Amino acid sequence: MTSMKPPMKMFDPHIHMTSRTTDDYQAMAAAGIAAVVEPGFWVGQPRTHVGTFEDYFAALIGWERFRASQFGIRHYCTIALNPKEANDPRVADGVIALIPKFLDKDGVVAVGEIGFDDMTPAEDRYFAAQIELAKRHGLPVLIHTPHRDKKRGTERTLAVVKESGIAEELVLVDHNTEETLPLVLATGCWAGHSIYPDTKMDEARMVALVERYGAERILINSAADWGVSDPLKVPKTAALMRERGIAEAAIKTIVWSNPIAFFAQSGKLDPAELGEAPAIDQRRLHEGNSVLRGQTPVTPGTES
Ligand SMILES: [Zn+2]
């Protein structure tokens, strides 16, 4: 306890807060996370009605954004038909028809997660269709890459991007590994990495990637959701980078400047605004609802 210096400001550009608790929000804020992007994804249980998606998207731009604000965290989201449910004819076309009205809303900073899960013809079709939606609305895209057969999935992903004609700097390809990162960096796309407990990519492997490739166009996220995951993986990875001697400037680029630069291309995320801490006012309500259960509200001037 030698220093009262606040932690470095960090951005988790891929986290499903809808599935997380207020304890998580408190711990994230304490660890320095000042902003998040919550991608529209699947919710574990297959949805059987288009209307369920509509309410889910509305909650991302409404209630969840409000909930984050109550802990001093800025919340942005991305909207899409996710790759897994692109294979469900009960909902796929209806969701595609629904998306445009959400893309112009405040806080919607990209189309995503789109891409491949099993690499089916339906996934191919909806992937391309949603890149077209992004182009039409002037938004970047966030692309999920498959967990199985990842190298081939990433190669096909980059081929679809190229064929679509979207500017590569508007594309963030996520869930990279040692095998896929060089493929993504060889294009103009940005490269995301999801740091998971035990599997896929961890803090030490991420440090090794940064030592080898540097910080340019590199992002890290927790991808925390309703499964075994850790919403503090961004600060934990930043801490290991520091311990292993990665320069502060490079760490800041990865955990703060890069996600801001990428999502600011939407025109809906203001880098200047992000430089200032938002005032927390827990007296506020969202459609009559509060995050409090009788606690004393934090108000502007009483934040610790
Ligand atoms: Zn996700």
Side-chain angles (χ1 to χ4, degrees), residues 2-52:
T2 50
S3 165
M4 292 300 286
K5 200 166 153 253
M8 174 186 274
K9 271 215 258 197
M10 283 172 268
F11 194 133
D12 189 338
H14 187 146
I15 184 164
H16 301 284
M17 291 312 301
T18 299
S19 304
R20 309 303 308 193
T21 64
T22 52
D23 286 358
D24 289 335
Y25 270 126
Q26 282 168 337
M28 288 161 65
I33 295 177
V36 298
V37 167
E38 174 154 9
F41 199 46
W42 80 299
V43 293
Q45 170 82 23
R47 285 167 279 201
T48 58
H49 304 278
V50 174
T52 319

Side-chain angles (χ1 to χ4, degrees), residues 143-183:
I143 301 182
H144 167 94
T145 51
H147 298 299
R148 301 169 297 273
D149 209 356
K150 186 172 277 290
K151 182 154 185 248
R152 201 165 63 89
T154 305
E155 285 165 347
R156 276 190 64 184
T157 295
L158 295 171
V160 170
V161 166
K162 187 156 203 179
E163 195 171 321
S164 76
I166 191 170
E168 286 175 339
E169 66 262 27
L170 289 172
V171 177
L172 169 53
V173 179
D174 215 340
H175 313 312
N176 281 286
T177 62
E178 290 82 356
E179 193 177 39
T180 61
L181 177 58
L183 304 175

